[in-house]
Amino acid sequence: MKFIITITFALLAFITGANAQNISIGPSVGFQHSWISGDLPDSTMHTFHGGFNIGASFVYSTESHLGLGADLKYSMEGTSIQTESNNVKTVTDWNTSYIRLPFRLIYFFGEYGHAIRPKIFLGPTIGVLLASKSEGTDVKDLTNSFDAGVHGGLGLNIRLIEKLWLNTDVTYYQGLSDVTQSEFDDTKNHNGNLSLNAGLLFGF
């Protein structure tokens, strides 16, 4: 956890001091399948759960192949919990939402200025819980207010016109902190999701 926080602040400091000449900012939206991996008592939580994210993206690209990126976004997540009692199965939806701050180191293929630049990226993600509900019942007091993990992915930056890019990617996120409070001391439950994202980046 300390490693994630240290890397996050290091990337944030670098981004703050970046040369504005190679900075681009714009809106983004994504659709995602989320889940919570782990073992709440007598339950199965690997069921995919549909959701979305929306926010803004920042990219700083050098004239070589390296870049830095960050997002600020609202993310709707959760899972479906399946329990069984007396051979009767019950499925309960657990819906969560976060404000997420992913930071990433980006490697761009191709040369700076090319119309299409494939990319791969990796970095830490931190999240602040906004809401946690199970079948309409507020369970925020049973859910940790902070989430941290790592994400990685690949995508394309496509130049539409001068200083305007279509930014696309597929991202996998793996949470490393426990989603639930200490009520279940012998279990660890982690967020995860796979998202397809797209947005526009306006260059400066």
Side-chain angles (χ1 to χ4, degrees):
M1 184 69 67
K2 291 182 179 179
F3 173 76
I4 290 175
I5 294 174
T6 300
I7 294 298
T8 297
F9 279 104
L11 288 173
L12 184 59
F14 187 94
I15 288 170
T16 303
N19 182 355
Q21 183 177 356
N22 298 323
I23 285 177
S24 53
I25 301 173
S28 67
V29 65
F31 298 95
Q32 58 198 27
H33 280 299
S34 301
W35 59 88
I36 298 176
S37 59
D39 294 301
L40 286 176
D42 303 317
S43 66
T44 302
M45 298 200 303
H46 54 70
T47 306
F48 282 132
H49 193 82
F52 71 92
N53 65 74
I54 186 169
S57 294
F58 166 100
V59 174
Y60 169 75
S61 57
T62 68
E63 294 189 1
S64 62
H65 296 280
L66 294 178
L68 291 171
D71 294 338
L72 174 62
K73 60 185 180 180
Y74 168 84
S75 181
M76 186 179 75
E77 303 173 23
T79 193
S80 295
I81 304 173
Q82 179 177 291
T83 57
E84 185 173 350
S85 178
N86 298 324
N87 295 321
V88 177
K89 293 183 179 180
T90 303
V91 176
T92 303
D93 285 335
W94 180 11
N95 299 306
T96 58
S97 60
Y98 292 85
I99 290 292
R100 289 206 175 274
L101 290 163
F103 300 94
R104 64 186 66 93
L105 177 65
I106 309 169
Y107 183 86
F108 291 99
F109 297 91
E111 299 300 325
Y112 183 81
H114 281 183
I116 299 177
R117 297 192 82 189
K119 62 185 177 182
I120 56 175
F121 53 87
L122 179 70
T125 297
I126 57 176
V128 177
L129 182 70
L130 295 179
S132 179
K133 294 184 178 181
S134 177
E135 298 297 315
T137 301
D138 193 325
V139 292
K140 193 174 181 180
D141 59 339
L142 299 177
T143 311
N144 276 327
S145 58
F146 179 80
D147 185 64
V150 294
H151 73 286
L154 52 87
L156 292 173
N157 279 25
I158 304 169
R159 188 173 67 226
L160 302 177
I161 58 175
E162 186 67 23
K163 294 188 177 182
L164 177 61
W165 290 266
L166 174 63
N167 181 40
T168 65
D169 65 69
V170 176
T171 300
Y172 172 76
Y173 169 72
Q174 178 58 59
L176 300 177
S177 57
D178 195 355
V179 178
T180 54
Q181 295 282 13
S182 59
E183 179 181 354
F184 305 110
D185 292 330
D186 58 343
T187 64
K188 298 294 181 181
N189 305 282
H190 306 288
N191 279 311
N193 69 62
L194 182 66
S195 61
L196 176 62
N197 310 290
L200 294 175
L201 288 171
F202 299 86
F204 293 90

